[in-house]
Amino acid sequence: MNNTVLVGRLCKDPELRYIPGSGTPVATFTLAIDRDYKNKDGSTTTDFIPVEVMGKPAEFCANYITKGRLVGIQGSIRVDRYETPNGEKRNFTKVAGRNIQALDYANDDKGGNPKFEPSGSVGSSEFNSIDDDDVPF
């Protein structure tokens, strides 16, 4: 079984590319994740985990996820093996993400305040006033 779940912050905006031939979108980025313990001096160690997401989740990342955002990733560990031009064999470990979810709000462009983007607009005529005496609890 190869399943991993990570929660961390993006180190920089995702890079989006498309696979030649198929046109499948691929987003790559790095997550910064603090370890759950402190060192003797009281500091925490941060791990930087490379992540690759393909398909519709990659387009979501490119359009809505930016540097500093807190995200949850579900996927699997992948080890790519390659050979350098000098003939050295190398391994590169990454997370192949299947699902991604933003866990915080995006900041607005002006003051850094969180902005909430509802899925639909709510007009004032949709609210009905309720007398507190009519509420059963």
Side-chain angles (χ1 to χ4, degrees):
M1 180 181 304
N2 185 355
N3 190 29
T4 186
V5 176
L6 302 173
V7 175
R9 295 194 180 273
L10 269 72
C11 295
K12 64 179 185 174
D13 290 346
E15 295 177 12
L16 182 67
R17 65 180 174 85
Y18 295 90
I19 296 174
S22 68
T24 304
V26 178
T28 56
F29 53 89
T30 302
L31 279 185
I33 303 171
D34 289 336
R35 294 188 182 176
D36 60 352
Y37 61 87
K38 295 188 185 272
N39 298 329
K40 290 181 183 179
D41 63 357
S43 65
T44 58
T45 303
T46 302
D47 292 311
F48 297 93
I49 312 293
V51 178
E52 182 178 81
V53 181
M54 298 177 74
K56 286 202 179 270
E59 291 176 337
F60 171 80
C61 290
N63 293 327
Y64 300 106
I65 305 297
T66 56
K67 176 182 176 179
R69 294 285 306 269
L70 184 67
V71 296
I73 301 281
Q74 189 239 344
S76 58
I77 303 289
R78 298 283 168 93
V79 178
D80 291 338
R81 293 175 178 85
Y82 64 96
E83 192 170 319
T84 66
N86 298 336
E88 298 176 34
K89 293 183 179 180
R90 302 265 174 103
N91 292 330
F92 180 73
T93 305
K94 64 184 175 188
V95 171
R98 284 189 298 274
N99 299 314
I100 183 166
Q101 185 171 1
L103 301 176
D104 64 356
Y105 294 112
N107 287 336
D108 67 11
D109 294 334
K110 297 175 184 114
N113 296 322
K115 67 178 178 181
F116 178 70
E117 298 173 354
S119 59
S121 61
V122 177
S124 61
S125 64
E126 293 181 49
F127 292 102
N128 295 328
S129 63
I130 298 174
D131 186 9
D132 286 343
D133 294 334
D134 293 338
V135 179
F137 49 87

